[in-house]
Amino acid sequence: MKRKSALPARIRQRNVAIFSRLREANPQPKTELEYATPYQLLVAVVLSAQATDRSVNIATRPLFKLAPTPAAMLGLGEERLREMIGSIGLYRTKAKNVIGLSQLLLECHAGEVPDDAAALEALPGVGHKTANVVLNTIFHKPVIAVDTHIFRVSNRTGLAPGKDVKAVEAKLLESVPAEFMLDAHHWLILLGRYICKARKPECGRCPINDLCEYPDKLL
């Protein structure tokens, strides 16, 4: 059954135009985290909290060669894991969580990453945002993980204004046209990361400049 939008026709048309342009600029958007399996993406997303994708990739390239699976990660051990991810913020807590989630994946899910939000969020270090990234990227579910970039873009553009992450997520689920929902997460992150930056947005090269409601555009 198709979603029936309660948005005014003008807003629906604008939103279609926004995502049509984002799709035209980047037809197949992807996460910038490097991974080869669902487990590796899960670990990378857990490590990426309050860290850049670039710093996580630098750490996980050698890590995933030594510990590509939950069993191998447990064999590596928490102390060695801490050493390998020491360049990433909050590395002690993250190492503990990665070991914990690896153990639970083996005990409860035969070493496989579950495709269920509740099961994912039951894993150490996996919150709602992390679960949504995995569900969207690996299992192609139409969900959106609202990080700082998406929160900023959603409010600045007027696409999905909200005072907190939950409000923005709910508004995005209402505002993003169904045909664009699967890739909306990546388009909005990349827009916020490279164009709609926090301190100095590059509005002059933004593909949706004329559709954006930001009053302080830098042209």
Side-chain angles (χ1 to χ4, degrees):
M1 180 180 295
K2 293 184 178 180
R3 283 187 308 161
K4 186 175 181 180
S5 176
L7 298 173
R10 179 186 65 83
I11 300 300
R12 292 200 305 272
Q13 291 169 0
R14 182 204 63 176
N15 294 351
V16 168
I18 285 174
F19 286 100
S20 294
R21 293 186 192 179
L22 294 177
R23 180 172 62 185
E24 183 178 355
N26 187 358
Q28 295 181 312
K30 297 179 180 179
T31 178
E32 294 185 320
L33 291 171
E34 297 174 3
Y35 68 98
T37 65
Y39 170 72
Q40 291 176 16
L41 177 66
L42 175 62
V43 171
V45 178
V46 169
L47 296 180
S48 71
Q50 299 183 45
T52 65
D53 287 1
R54 180 178 180 276
S55 68
V56 172
N57 290 337
I58 290 172
T60 57
R61 284 168 194 154
L63 173 63
F64 289 155
K65 288 182 180 179
L66 288 178
T69 65
M73 192 68 74
L74 290 181
L76 185 69
E78 186 175 336
E79 182 176 353
R80 180 75 177 107
L81 177 56
R82 283 201 302 267
E83 294 174 0
M84 297 194 73
I85 64 170
S87 60
I88 301 174
L90 306 174
Y91 71 94
R92 293 182 183 276
T93 298
K94 291 176 181 178
K96 181 178 180 180
N97 286 335
V98 168
I99 294 297
L101 71 83
S102 299
Q103 182 71 52
L104 277 182
L105 287 176
L106 288 168
E107 291 178 355
C108 303
H109 303 285
E112 300 295 326
V113 175
D115 64 351
D116 175 77
L120 283 168
E121 292 182 35
L123 299 171
V126 179
H128 180 68
K129 182 175 73 174
T130 296
N132 274 4
V133 172
V134 173
L135 291 171
N136 179 259
T137 304
I138 296 298
F139 299 108
H140 308 297
K141 297 197 175 184
V143 295
I144 296 180
V146 179
D147 69 349
T148 56
H149 296 301
I150 292 181
F151 185 83
R152 179 173 64 255
V153 169
S154 297
N155 276 284
R156 268 187 184 166
T157 61
L159 176 66
K163 294 183 178 180
D164 55 39
V165 168
K166 290 183 69 175
V168 168
E169 181 180 347
K171 190 69 174 178
L172 282 171
L173 292 175
E174 178 188 14
S175 299
V176 178
E179 65 180 294
F180 302 103
M181 183 62 75
L182 185 60
D183 290 319
H185 168 83
H186 295 303
W187 282 319
L188 294 175
I189 282 180
L190 294 173
L191 183 66
R193 183 173 292 165
Y194 295 112
I195 296 179
C196 194
K197 302 173 184 178
R199 293 187 178 180
K200 192 175 181 182
E202 298 183 22
C203 304
R205 67 184 189 91
C206 178
I208 62 169
N209 183 297
D210 59 312
L211 301 171
C212 173
E213 297 179 359
Y214 187 43
D216 300 317
K217 293 178 186 176
L218 301 175
L219 302 177

